Amino acid sequence: MNAGLLPFDEALDRLLGYARPVREIEEVDTLIAAGRVLAVNQRSPIAQPPMDNSAMDGYALRVADVPAAGIRLPVSQRIAAGGVAHPLAAGTAARIFTGAPLPAGADAVVMQELCEHQGDSVVINHLPQAGESVRRMGEDIAAGAEVLTQGSRLRAPEMALAASLGLARLPVYRRLRVAIFSTGSELVMPGEPLRPGAIYNSNRYMLRGLLTGLGCEVTDLGIVPDNLDATRKALREAAEGHDLIVTSGGVSVGEEDHVKPAVEAEGSLDMWRIAMKPGKPLAYGRVHAAAFVGLPGNPVSGFVTFLMMLRPFVLASQGVRQPLPRALSLPAAFDWPRPDRRREFLRARLDAHGHVELFPNQGAAALQSTTWAEGLVDVPAATAVRRGDPVRFLPYGELLY
């Protein structure tokens, strides 16, 4: 059915098999670790919380001293967060604030809204239970417990967790070094006059944004004209000191498409043409020591192909353990009655009812569809969709970051 086209799943499996994860490790300040990939499992050097403490503003006391609501107790001390707690004398209460250490002898905290402060004493208008409003030492994390796993991408939650445990620096894999260039004599940069027959180079911005968002170190080689010698020279330059070369355009079969023969002349081409829509002319190979991925020149095709094929490859090359996105199963708010023989990825978002709706124009030139959308619908080859059918929805949160 798709003569010469590699099925999407097979192509993705092969591409991930080609990934060579970086091995060099460096330590970075936890404060600037966002987007990096953890290289070594991390264990907590302390318990969290590090001591028994109060979960509320209120009064710490012994449950045995409050056999009934309405008991009055003298207030023997005041304990603020960061302060020092003295052992609690029997028959007294301690004024305590959220996060403050629980005094020895106390076994509960009664929130201040259930108490009535009167001079040097407090009336407890509540019958407390042992452990009430108390956060026990280590109840969240035990000392020595594994808290962060090798191969995880570090986001704000992981950074906060590491900081809460006193981990000031983290071992991460070095950044993936990626060289990019766009091919096409018709391309001009925004800000330049748009001469007849020319188009603005949106792919350059898309690739830089996507790769930078994945934590890559990007070298931008600009625009390469539709010329075999110029393309070969750009590939040689891109291969120097880089792990990956990413190009846009020139990977189809037209007379002005020179990337494929240039890669074959400078290295090897191991995979070409995928049964996916948009994005059929995707190429993988190697140029010297660098991996090469050629994306379609059509901006929508390049965008979708990047998200579904190149993003997992980049993550795997960075050492990420789980590079594939997760999909949601949601009802369709559309009909898709004329399926394609290729795997289709449709620009979509959620409507007010939580159903998936499509951008009206699914053409490969409708770049506005990518900003209107909140994700992609994954439609298997030769599959029709009727309104109400469950579909696989891949939110941008799983694809862009």
Side-chain angles (χ1 to χ4, degrees):
M1 291 177 61
N2 288 307
L5 299 184
L6 199 60
F8 175 84
D9 287 332
E10 181 180 343
L12 183 56
D13 286 344
R14 285 176 58 175
L15 192 61
L16 291 176
Y18 290 136
R20 300 178 182 176
V22 294
R23 297 300 181 192
E24 297 91 336
I25 297 174
E26 57 190 28
E27 278 202 349
V28 299
D29 193 309
T30 301
L31 194 61
I32 58 171
R36 304 301 295 270
V37 180
L38 191 67
V40 180
N41 292 341
Q42 296 296 293
R43 296 185 176 276
S44 176
I46 62 172
Q48 186 65 274
M51 71 286 184
D52 292 351
N53 69 90
S54 177
M56 295 281 182
D57 289 352
Y59 293 86
L61 46 74
R62 286 180 167 85
V63 170
D65 290 335
V66 187
I71 295 293
R72 181 190 299 272
L73 297 174
V75 177
S76 57
Q77 60 180 306
R78 183 181 185 275
I79 314 167
V84 176
H86 302 289
L88 185 67
T92 71
R95 180 72 168 114
I96 197 167
F97 298 89
T98 304
L102 192 72
D107 55 7
V109 173
V110 178
M111 60 189 298
Q112 62 187 11
E113 291 82 357
L114 301 177
C115 302
E116 184 181 348
H117 187 78
Q118 296 181 352
D120 294 332
S121 64
V122 62
V123 177
I124 309 298
N125 296 315
H126 170 72
L127 188 63
Q129 302 295 314
E132 184 173 331
S133 297
V134 173
R135 296 188 290 222
R136 293 298 181 188
M137 176 180 176
E139 71 175 29
D140 183 19
I141 300 170
E146 184 177 298
V147 289
L148 296 171
T149 305
Q150 178 269 337
S152 300
R153 290 187 73 213
L154 299 171
R155 307 162 300 169
E158 287 81 10
M159 294 165 63
L161 177 60
S164 75
L165 301 172
L167 299 174
R169 298 180 66 80
L170 292 171
V172 297
Y173 294 116
R174 69 158 173 83
R175 295 185 186 276
L176 196 70
R177 300 177 185 126
V178 185
I180 64 173
F181 62 85
S182 306
T183 66
S185 299
E186 76 281 10
L187 298 176
V188 298
M189 292 298 293
E192 299 176 2
L194 194 63
R195 64 180 185 271
I199 60 173
Y200 287 122
N201 184 6
S202 60
N203 284 339
R204 184 178 188 182
Y205 293 80
M206 177 186 70
L207 288 178
R208 286 189 65 143
L210 290 169
L211 289 164
T212 302
L214 292 178
C216 298
E217 183 180 302
V218 179
T219 301
D220 188 344
L221 301 180
I223 299 172
V224 176
D226 288 322
N227 175 280
L228 180 59
D229 290 338
T231 306
R232 291 184 63 176
K233 179 182 177 182
L235 286 172
R236 290 193 297 269
E237 181 180 351
E240 286 292 323
H242 295 98
D243 306 296
L244 172 64
I245 304 166
V246 180
T247 65
S248 64
V251 291
S252 193
V253 292
E255 292 183 7
E256 297 300 324
D257 292 320
H258 299 291
V259 172
K260 180 176 179 288
V263 173
E264 291 173 323
E266 296 294 332
S268 63
L269 192 68
D270 303 307
M271 190 170 70
W272 183 52
R273 290 165 56 89
I274 313 301
M276 63 180 292
K277 182 181 180 182
K280 178 175 66 176
L282 175 135
Y284 172 83
R286 298 198 71 84
V287 178
H288 305 298
F292 165 82
V293 175
L295 298 176
N298 185 296
V300 175
S301 297
F303 177 73
V304 172
T305 306
F306 186 104
L307 298 185
M308 300 312 304
M309 298 291 290
L310 184 53
R311 179 183 181 274
F313 177 82
V314 167
L315 293 179
S317 299
Q318 290 174 322
V320 174
R321 284 187 173 272
Q322 298 178 349
L324 297 179
R326 295 168 295 181
L328 303 174
S329 180
L330 297 171
F334 62 90
D335 292 308
W336 196 250
R338 294 181 294 278
D340 197 276
R341 294 180 298 172
R342 293 172 286 168
R343 183 87 158 260
E344 295 186 271
F345 296 94
L346 311 175
R347 277 77 69 206
R349 70 183 183 190
L350 302 187
D351 66 15
H353 306 288
H355 297 183
V356 181
E357 60 179 352
L358 299 183
F359 188 75
N361 181 2
Q362 288 293 320
L367 189 56
Q368 185 182 357
S369 67
T370 62
T371 60
W372 176 94
E374 297 169 346
L376 302 176
V377 172
D378 178 1
V379 180
T383 300
V385 177
R386 293 179 299 180
R387 187 177 299 268
D389 287 349
V391 293
R392 295 184 75 245
F393 179 68
L394 296 147
Y396 276 166
E398 288 288 320
L399 297 174
L400 291 179
Y401 313 107

